[in-house]
Amino acid sequence: MSNIQSNSRIGIFGFGCVGQGLYDVLQTIEQAGIEVAGICVKDKEKPRSLPASTFTYNPQDLLQDESITIFAELISDADEAYSIVTQALKAGKTIVSANKKMLASHLPELIELQHNYNGTLLYEAAVGGSIPIIRTLESYYSSEPLQQVSGILNGSSNFILSKMESEGLSYSLALQQAQELGFAETDPTLDVGGFDSVNKLCLITAHAFGLTITPEQILRFGIDTVRKEDLEFAKTINARVRLVASAEVNPEDELSLRVLPTLVTDQKELYHVTNETNGVTIDPVFAGQQFIKGLGAGSRPTGSAVWADVSAALSGYRYSYPKTAVKTIALNQDKKIDIYLRCPADSSLPEANWENLVKVQETGEAIYFTAILPVSELQNISSYLAGKQIFIAEITAEQAMDIALKFSENEAVVYS
Ligand code: HSE
C-alpha cells in the first residue's frame, strides 16, 4: 500500500450492500489513505447511515470533479452503470466496477475504450465476490494455457440450495433469506435464472481464454425449477445439486460454455461449498488442478474485492487481456453432455436428437429421465423446458450408469 498516493480521492457511485462494504473497508483500514470525495446515490428519501453532505444525487458532480483520482461504480442499474463507466473511460479516468451484467454486455467496447483513451477499468468484485479469480487468470495464468475453469459463481443460488438441503427450507423462504442478507440482486431472477452466473462466466472467458462472447451464447439453466425431489434424487447417488458455470476446452481448442444445475458427488470440492460461498476450479495444462473458494456475496467480502482493485489501480495495475493475443480457441457448443431431467407429470419432452434417453423413475407427480444431448440442442429447447417447469441437471457418464443401476428394479425404459 505504500506506493498509493496519500492524497488519492475516490468518488463512489452507489451505497447499497457493496458501496457500504467498500466504505466500511476504507474506514477500517487506516493506512488506506484515501479520502472519500463523495458518494452518488439515486434515492433522496432513503435513510442513510452517513451525513447528507456526504451524498450527491447527480453523477456529474463526481464525474466532472477533477480532484477525484479514482471512481468505484457499485450500482445495480446496468444502463446507468454503463453510462458512468463509459464517460469515465472516455475521459481517460480509472474506474472500478462490480456490475457484472453491464460488464458482460459491453466488454468488447469497454476494452476498446480503455485502449483508445488510456483509462483503466478493473472488476474483480464482479466475479466470485471475495475470490481473486480475475486477477489470478489475468496475471498469474497470463501465459499458461488452461483446459477448464468451472465452479459456483452465484452465492444466492448456492445459499438457497444449501438451505433447502440442510434445513429443509422451502425454495421461496430460502430466496427470501438470501434477499434479506443482501446476497441477491435487486431482481433475483438474475440469480436463480442463471443470468448472473452467465455474466460472470463471460468475464472469466475473456481472461482465461481470450474470447469475448455475449451472454446469449452461453447455455443457461437456473435453479428456479428445482424441487426438494431433485435434492432427494441427488442424494440417492451421494450428490448435491449445485449451479455450476463451466468453460471447458477440448484438445481441438473448442470451447464449451454452460451454466447448469449439476449433480455434484461427495468426492468433488463443489459438494462441500455451502451457503453464499463460491468455489472455482482452474485446470491449467502444466500446473495441475487448483481450487479456490471464498465468500461469493455480501457487503464486506465484495467491498474487499473492490478495495483490492482500487489499491491495485492506484499502484498502476491494469488488465492486458493477455490471452486475446493467442486466438486459437473458438466457441463450439456441439459437446455432448449427460443430463438428468424431471418432468412434471402433465408435461412431455420436446423433439430433439436425444441419445440414451432412459426413463428411470415415474411417480404420480413427475417422470425422471437421463439422456445425452449436445449443448447446442439444449440451447434450442431451453425455452420449452423452462416453460414446462422441467428441471434439468448435468451429470457425468458414471452417474448416468449409477442411476441406471440404482433404478433398474423400476424397469428403466430405453427410448433410443
Ligand atoms: N447476487 C450475487 C450473488 C452477488 O448472489 O452471487 C454477488 O455477485
Side-chain angles (χ1 to χ4, degrees):
M1 263 176 290
S2 54
N3 46 354
I4 295 175
Q5 308 138 24
S6 57
N7 56 350
S8 297
R9 279 164 61 79
I10 186 167
I12 303 173
F13 298 92
F15 201 59
C17 178
V18 185
Q20 290 183 51
L22 173 64
Y23 189 84
D24 194 15
V25 172
L26 289 175
Q27 298 308 301
T28 310
I29 301 178
E30 277 181 22
Q31 314 93 299
I34 293 184
E35 189 188 341
V36 176
I39 304 173
C40 181
V41 291
K42 207 172 184 175
D43 189 348
K44 287 186 182 170
E45 310 306 324
K46 199 168 170 181
R48 307 275 176 191
S49 54
L50 297 174
S53 58
T54 321
F55 297 100
T56 170
Y57 304 95
N58 181 357
Q60 298 309 323
D61 288 347
L62 297 184
L63 285 166
Q64 293 182 18
D65 181 342
E66 289 300 326
S67 75
I68 292 179
T69 332
I70 187 164
F71 298 109
E73 176 285 299
L74 310 172
I75 63 176
S76 63
D77 181 326
D79 294 334
E80 186 64 22
Y82 170 76
S83 142
I84 290 166
V85 169
T86 50
Q87 187 179 336
L89 289 179
K90 282 177 186 169
K93 302 276 182 168
T94 299
I95 186 159
V96 170
S97 173
N99 195 311
K100 45 269 156 120
K101 183 167 186 251
M102 181 279 291
L103 293 161
S105 310
H106 300 282
L107 195 57
E109 183 192 348
L110 297 171
I111 295 172
E112 204 179 316
L113 286 178
Q114 290 177 78
H115 190 255
N116 291 348
Y117 296 92
N118 205 25
T120 297
L121 170 65
L122 300 182
Y123 42 77
E124 187 65 68
V127 186
S130 66
I131 300 178
I133 182 67
I134 295 295
R135 229 183 297 170
T136 301
L137 297 172
E138 160 76 22
S139 301
Y140 191 81
Y141 285 115
S142 61
S143 44
E144 178 162 350
L146 304 176
Q147 302 172 115
Q148 184 172 4
V149 180
S150 64
I152 294 167
L153 300 177
N154 184 262
S156 302
S157 298
N158 208 54
F159 179 88
I160 293 167
L161 292 169
S162 300
K163 290 290 171 187
M164 289 174 73
E165 272 158 13
S166 63
E167 295 173 25
L169 290 196
S170 68
Y171 171 87
S172 51
L173 188 56
L175 169 58
Q176 190 188 322
Q177 286 191 3
Q179 289 179 290
E180 284 165 5
L181 289 163
F183 303 151
E185 299 298 303
T186 310
D187 172 7
T189 315
L190 294 173
D191 297 295
V192 296
F195 299 94
D196 183 67
S197 299
V198 160
N199 292 332
K200 290 165 175 169
L201 191 58
C202 282
L203 302 177
I204 282 180
T205 302
H207 294 273
F209 302 104
L211 281 188
T212 46
I213 38 107
T214 62
E216 295 71 31
Q217 289 175 287
I218 299 179
L219 170 65
R220 176 193 54 78
F221 279 86
I223 61 152
D224 39 3
T225 53
V226 75
R227 299 283 173 271
K228 69 174 189 327
E229 290 84 341
D230 302 308
L231 308 186
E232 281 159 12
F233 190 96
K235 223 184 241 178
T236 64
I237 54 163
N238 298 322
R240 286 176 173 162
V241 180
R242 292 288 180 259
L243 184 61
V244 178
S246 70
E248 196 185 344
V249 183
N250 68 12
E252 282 74 49
D253 271 352
E254 294 167 339
L255 177 70
S256 163
L257 295 172
R258 53 196 191 273
V259 169
L260 279 175
T262 302
L263 302 194
V264 178
T265 73
D266 56 2
Q267 303 302 307
K268 298 282 183 190
E269 305 274 12
L270 295 183
Y271 179 95
H272 306 283
V273 175
T274 55
N275 297 332
E276 76 274 25
T277 303
N278 284 189
V280 184
T281 302
I282 305 173
D283 261 303
V285 169
F286 307 117
Q289 194 175 86
Q290 296 176 340
F291 179 70
I292 178 166
K293 78 172 184 179
L295 293 176
S299 188
R300 277 191 150 204
T302 317
S304 146
V306 177
W307 162 238
D309 272 353
V310 168
S311 62
L314 291 175
S315 302
Y317 180 78
R318 57 201 315 241
Y319 299 146
S320 63
Y321 300 89
K323 296 281 173 72
T324 42
V326 197
K327 282 268 183 209
T328 50
I329 292 172
L331 181 64
N332 184 330
Q333 297 285 48
D334 290 340
K335 182 186 167 66
K336 290 179 180 176
I337 57 171
D338 286 82
I339 50 173
Y340 151 95
L341 303 103
R342 179 187 43 77
C343 304
D346 58 358
S347 69
S348 58
L349 292 178
E351 284 289 319
N353 288 318
W354 300 105
E355 277 179 41
N356 293 9
L357 180 64
V358 176
K359 182 163 88 175
V360 289
Q361 193 184 27
E362 185 162 6
T363 65
E365 286 81 43
I367 309 176
Y368 298 71
F369 298 94
T370 57
I372 297 175
L373 212 56
V375 168
S376 53
E377 283 253 358
L378 265 172
Q379 282 178 300
N380 292 339
I381 60 171
S382 62
S383 304
Y384 175 94
L385 296 177
K388 297 282 179 196
Q389 298 283 299
I390 294 171
F391 177 75
I392 84 155
E394 183 167 349
I395 54 175
T396 61
E398 293 72 36
Q399 284 175 319
M401 274 163 48
D402 192 11
I403 290 169
L405 286 173
K406 285 245 158 60
F407 292 89
S408 59
E409 67 270 22
N410 295 337
E411 292 177 23
V413 180
V414 179
Y415 281 71
S416 61

